Amino acid sequence: MEIQDDRTKEQMETHIWLVIGTDRFLSGWGQAKNGSSYAAWACKMEDAPKVLNWVENRGDQLRVRETVCRPGARYRPNPAYCAHLHIYVVDGNHTSL
């Protein structure tokens, strides 16, 4: 499984809420050839409702869910289902806010 996490070390302490979706366009080919491609948006807990609403209203995300990681921890989805994961950072300039 390939994981690309855009968070800095500092953001892994503050952006611990993840809103995750299964990307219906990128799953099954390319870096996710043998499984699903997950996209996750890491945000601060107070921004989670807005980010969740934004992801749920995107047309390319299926099975939208949330999880929280301990500060400094890495999210590791089940490799039986996920072949590729990209974690994006939601900061003050993000569209969802």
Side-chain angles (χ1 to χ4, degrees):
M1 172 188 355
E2 183 176 328
I3 297 176
Q4 180 179 347
D5 191 337
D6 293 347
R7 295 177 294 169
T8 65
K9 192 171 189 173
E10 293 78 21
Q11 288 169 329
M12 287 186 177
E13 300 291 326
T14 59
H15 292 64
I16 60 171
W17 198 270
L18 300 181
V19 178
I20 307 158
T22 302
D23 192 312
R24 66 186 189 115
F25 293 120
L26 296 179
S27 293
W29 67 279
Q31 294 174 331
K33 182 178 177 185
N34 296 316
S36 295
S37 177
Y38 291 0
W41 287 267
C43 62
K44 294 179 180 179
M45 293 182 79
E46 60 266 21
D47 294 329
K50 290 180 183 177
V51 176
L52 176 63
N53 183 60
W54 179 76
V55 175
E56 287 178 331
N57 286 295
R58 291 174 57 107
D60 60 343
Q61 299 300 309
L62 303 172
R63 226 175 60 79
V64 176
R65 59 250 186 228
E66 300 172 279
T67 192
V68 66
C69 292
R70 286 178 284 111
R74 295 193 180 270
Y75 172 68
R76 304 206 50 87
N78 186 334
Y81 303 107
C82 179
H84 179 262
L85 165 68
H86 191 151
I87 300 174
Y88 302 93
V89 178
V90 175
D91 60 16
N93 297 322
H94 194 268
T95 307
S96 65
L97 305 179

